[in-house]
């Protein structure tokens, strides 16, 4: 059974950094594209970015709203994907989800950016 | 950048049939957009019902189906149940989400 668990969320001040993790099990992690999607309070889903598998060079793409501030990486040996978030803004407050190829979703981790 | 359009809200009677649509501001939605349909119930994480236009997952109730209709992606619910009340999001090209359709079963 595919299982995705996000962790690392919490309360952080504007301008600071946070790293989220997406720990996977139940499938061949190295073959998957991992997406990060977020949902601000009371709002819809917003794609954040993805990282492809090694066959596609581990390429990454990001939404314009986070490009240059967020970085996605992966450790296939540990079946973990990371979302490094720098220069956080209050507008980044959201529940962050990771997905496997947009087919399966984790339960999310909450990030609150506030002073 | 394309805008993905969905009906903001729809209502269906229990046992009834309803079709949700997903359009693109740049033109017709095609199989090449690999449309996804994602269900989110209040307080829960999203769950993908349909991938790549028509493909169901093991957890997708048989009453849901995906298609292309009139230049849009479509999600048809036949025989609505109270538990189908949720927000349904369309996803195109793996990164463009629609604003969601709030489906009420009433």
């Amino acid at each position: 059974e595919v299982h995705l668990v996000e962790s690392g969320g919490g309360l952080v001040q504007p301008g600071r950094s946070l790293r989220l993790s997406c720990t996977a099990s139940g499938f061949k992690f190295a073959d998957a594209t991992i997406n990060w999607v977020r949902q601000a309070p009371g709002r819809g889903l917003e794609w954040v970015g993805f990282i492809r598998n090694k066959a596609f060079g581990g390429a990454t793409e990001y939404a314009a709203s986070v490009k240059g501030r967020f970085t996605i990486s992966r450790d296939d040996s540990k079946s973990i994907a990371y979302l490094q978030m720098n220069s956080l803004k209050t507008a980044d407050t959201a529940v962050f989800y990771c997905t496997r190829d947009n087919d399966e979703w984790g339960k999310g981790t909450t990030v609150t950016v506030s002073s | 950048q394309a805008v993905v359009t969905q009906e903001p809200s729809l209502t269906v009677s229990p046992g009834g049939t309803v079709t949700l649509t997903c359009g693109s501001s740049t033109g017709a939605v095609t199989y090449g957009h690999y449309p996804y349909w994602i269900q989110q119930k209040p307080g829960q994480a999203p769950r993908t019902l349909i991938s790549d236009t028509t493909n169901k997952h093991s957890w997708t109730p048989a009453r849901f189906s995906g298609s292309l209709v009139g230049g849009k992606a479509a999600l048809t619910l036949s025989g609505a149940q109270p538990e189908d009340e949720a927000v349904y999001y369309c996803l195109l090209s793996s990164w463009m989400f629609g604003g969601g359709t709030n489906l009420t079963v009433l």
Side-chain angles (χ1 to χ4, degrees):
Chain A
E1 180 186 0
V2 172
H3 208 48
L4 298 165
V5 179
E6 302 89 343
S7 59
L11 174 63
V12 62
Q13 293 179 327
R16 304 298 292 266
S17 298
L18 202 61
R19 189 179 78 163
L20 306 184
S21 299
C22 171
T23 304
S25 60
F27 64 97
K28 193 173 180 182
F29 183 81
D31 288 348
T33 292
I34 301 298
N35 285 265
W36 285 94
V37 176
R38 68 183 178 181
Q39 186 170 36
R43 305 295 295 272
L45 301 176
E46 180 190 13
W47 174 76
V48 172
F50 64 63
I51 185 166
R52 295 202 186 279
N53 59 30
K54 279 190 176 178
F56 289 90
T60 54
E61 293 286 348
Y62 301 95
S65 58
V66 307
K67 199 168 188 177
R69 299 188 299 124
F70 289 11
T71 302
I72 301 172
S73 60
R74 63 191 298 159
D75 185 338
D76 290 344
S77 69
K78 296 181 179 178
S79 296
I80 300 178
Y82 301 99
L83 177 64
Q84 177 67 43
M85 304 184 294
N86 299 331
S87 303
L88 282 162
K89 307 174 181 180
T90 56
D92 295 317
T93 294
V95 177
F96 284 75
Y97 299 97
C98 64
T99 82
R100 180 192 81 108
D101 298 316
N102 287 325
D103 288 322
E104 285 103 353
W105 296 65
K107 294 191 183 306
T109 187
T110 300
V111 173
T112 302
V113 185
S114 174
S115 54
Chain B
Q1 177 176 319
V3 174
V4 179
T5 58
Q6 297 185 246
E7 298 87 359
S9 63
L10 289 170
T11 300
V12 61
S13 300
T17 296
V18 63
T19 297
L20 289 65
T21 68
C22 172
S24 172
S25 61
T26 58
V29 174
T30 69
Y31 291 106
H33 287 97
Y34 304 101
Y36 277 56
W37 289 97
I38 295 150
Q39 177 192 62
Q40 188 176 33
K41 296 181 180 180
Q44 296 186 17
R47 181 177 72 157
T48 297
L49 295 180
I50 302 289
S51 301
D52 295 343
T53 311
T54 61
N55 296 335
K56 299 181 185 183
H57 293 272
S58 59
W59 55 81
T60 305
R63 59 186 178 272
F64 288 96
S65 63
S67 63
L68 292 181
V69 177
K72 295 183 177 182
L75 176 70
T76 299
L77 169 58
S78 303
Q81 301 296 311
E83 61 265 31
D84 299 327
E85 200 161 277
V87 179
Y88 293 82
Y89 294 96
C90 171
L91 173 64
L92 299 181
S93 302
S94 301
W95 64 276
M96 294 186 292
F97 282 100
T101 295
N102 196 337
L103 182 66
T104 300
V105 180
L106 187 60

